[in-house]
Amino acid sequence: MSSIESNNSLAIFPRSWSEKEAGRVPGNIPIWVGILSELTEFGIFFTAYFIAKFNYPEVFASGPLSLNTTIGVINTVILLASSYFMAKAMSNIRRNDYKKCERYLWYTFICACMYLSFKSYEFYWNDLQGFSTKTSEFFTVYYYMTFNHFLHVGWAACAILWVIFRLRSGAYSAKEHSGLEALAVYWHMIDLMWILIFPLLYVLR
Amino acid sequence: MKRLGKLEYYFIALITITFSNTLLGEGFDSTAFITTFVALTVMYKGLVVIDHFMELKEANKFLRLMMRTYFFIFPSLIILSSMF
């Protein structure tokens, strides 16, 4: 037997690999491949931000003053709350409390919708002030980062609906809930990206 | 009255940090001190979400290290950017 022969269906780990030794993998391996890709993508955005800020310090010092900070704060609170609800959904599925798990998933979904609504309003508000992607280098980076993040929240919200449907179909239990957990870690990753985006665009000058 | 759990305390801490960072950003110019403070709190917020919401504290070491490294690198870049 070859030493690189896989011990799982994805064929990416050597036979010697064991989860017991390496530690638990929350969700599943494919979602972590996705999360790694997203972290790389956002890593490029953040690097672009720092390069642009270094080259255009005045524009980046005045840029945050033009934004609607109140909406930024509201969206931060909404995303943090959504992460909390998602963590509660996870703790309830582990107790086989399906009703509470579903309730918290709906709360998370409502938070996602609220985030998308506030963000859409913010884009509209920016438009009314005359700000666009071409206004300045700051706004180019701002739209580049926030619209991408907006898309991530959008499709993850659709994934919440799918997971609720699967939960109702009896696909998850205290013993087997890797699909739900995969969504949870992905959702937390989106929250983490906003935790970085918020101070970069709204707070620091 | 129902006692707050660990998750609730972390959630309150994250919200408090968000408001304090915003007040600092709104009330003061981004001096090196303010920037460093905000960067450190961002680092803390990231680590809390990674360890307690994502539940990576007891999970695979590589995944935890990868996520935590991300939240050491970018807040450090925030501090570095205040020096230029």
Side-chain angles (χ1 to χ4, degrees):
Chain A
M1 287 273 177
S2 159
S3 63
I4 56 162
E5 188 182 339
S6 163
N7 64 351
N8 63 63
S9 59
L10 283 170
I12 56 174
F13 289 115
R15 199 177 178 80
S16 57
W17 189 87
S18 76
E19 194 170 274
K20 199 179 172 188
E21 218 169 277
R24 198 174 73 86
V25 176
N28 50 49
I29 299 293
I31 199 66
W32 280 101
V33 174
I35 288 173
L36 258 175
S37 311
E38 304 286 14
L39 290 179
T40 309
E41 184 190 11
F42 278 98
I44 292 167
F45 295 163
F46 296 136
T47 308
Y49 166 90
F50 286 113
I51 292 170
K53 192 178 182 181
F54 179 75
N55 286 298
Y56 306 98
E58 293 86 13
V59 172
F60 276 76
S62 60
L65 298 169
S66 315
L67 293 178
N68 193 326
T69 313
T70 309
I71 298 180
V73 175
I74 291 170
N75 270 341
T76 308
V77 173
I78 288 171
L79 278 184
L80 289 173
S82 73
S83 259
Y84 168 74
F85 293 141
M86 188 59 94
K88 291 294 280 182
M90 280 307 303
S91 67
N92 279 297
I93 193 67
R94 291 192 184 116
R95 285 196 290 264
N96 270 332
D97 194 336
Y98 301 105
K99 271 196 171 177
K100 272 192 176 177
C101 178
E102 186 182 331
R103 193 190 307 160
Y104 280 113
L105 283 172
W106 278 116
Y107 291 161
T108 313
F109 179 74
I110 291 166
C111 285
C113 293
M114 284 171 71
Y115 173 90
L116 294 172
S117 305
F118 276 109
K119 201 79 212 153
S120 300
Y121 176 72
E122 188 184 338
F123 288 147
Y124 171 69
W125 186 86
N126 286 346
D127 190 50
L128 289 180
Q129 316 300 312
F131 302 133
S132 73
T133 51
K134 291 175 184 167
T135 302
S136 67
E137 289 77 9
F138 173 82
F139 274 96
T140 307
V141 172
Y142 162 83
Y143 278 109
Y144 186 49
M145 268 193 204
T146 56
F147 188 68
N148 223 288
H149 189 265
F150 179 91
L151 292 178
H152 282 76
V153 175
W155 67 58
C158 298
I160 296 173
L161 289 179
W162 170 247
V163 163
I164 291 172
F165 168 75
R166 296 264 300 151
L167 179 73
R168 284 185 165 187
S169 315
Y172 308 127
S173 66
K175 271 191 172 178
E176 170 44 42
H177 50 263
S178 60
L180 173 52
E181 200 170 37
L183 170 74
V185 285
Y186 188 81
W187 189 264
H188 294 309
M189 185 277 297
I190 292 173
D191 183 29
L192 282 172
M193 292 306 102
W194 184 257
I195 284 175
L196 271 169
I197 291 172
F198 175 67
L200 291 181
L201 296 177
Y202 295 84
V203 178
L204 298 170
R205 284 149 205 178
Chain B
M1 205 173 115
K2 204 177 170 188
R3 279 184 63 204
L4 294 179
K6 209 173 168 185
L7 210 58
E8 281 75 20
Y9 283 115
Y10 281 121
F11 175 61
I12 292 165
L14 292 175
I15 298 291
T16 310
I17 290 168
T18 300
F19 284 121
S20 63
N21 279 358
T22 312
L23 288 175
L24 278 174
E26 289 288 296
F28 302 93
D29 287 333
S30 286
T31 58
F33 174 74
I34 299 285
T35 306
T36 306
F37 179 78
V38 170
L40 291 176
T41 56
V42 166
M43 192 184 286
Y44 176 77
K45 279 169 85 174
L47 298 183
V48 165
V49 173
I50 290 163
D51 279 355
H52 303 284
F53 285 55
M54 259 181 157
E55 301 177 73
L56 287 182
K57 199 171 184 179
E58 310 296 333
N60 183 287
K61 283 173 192 155
F62 170 73
L63 293 179
R64 187 179 184 226
L65 180 70
M66 178 190 76
M67 295 301 298
R68 287 171 72 94
T69 305
Y70 205 85
F71 271 83
F72 281 113
I73 290 176
F74 287 105
S76 302
L77 280 176
I78 292 175
I79 296 168
L80 201 66
S81 71
S82 71
M83 294 172 185
F84 294 103

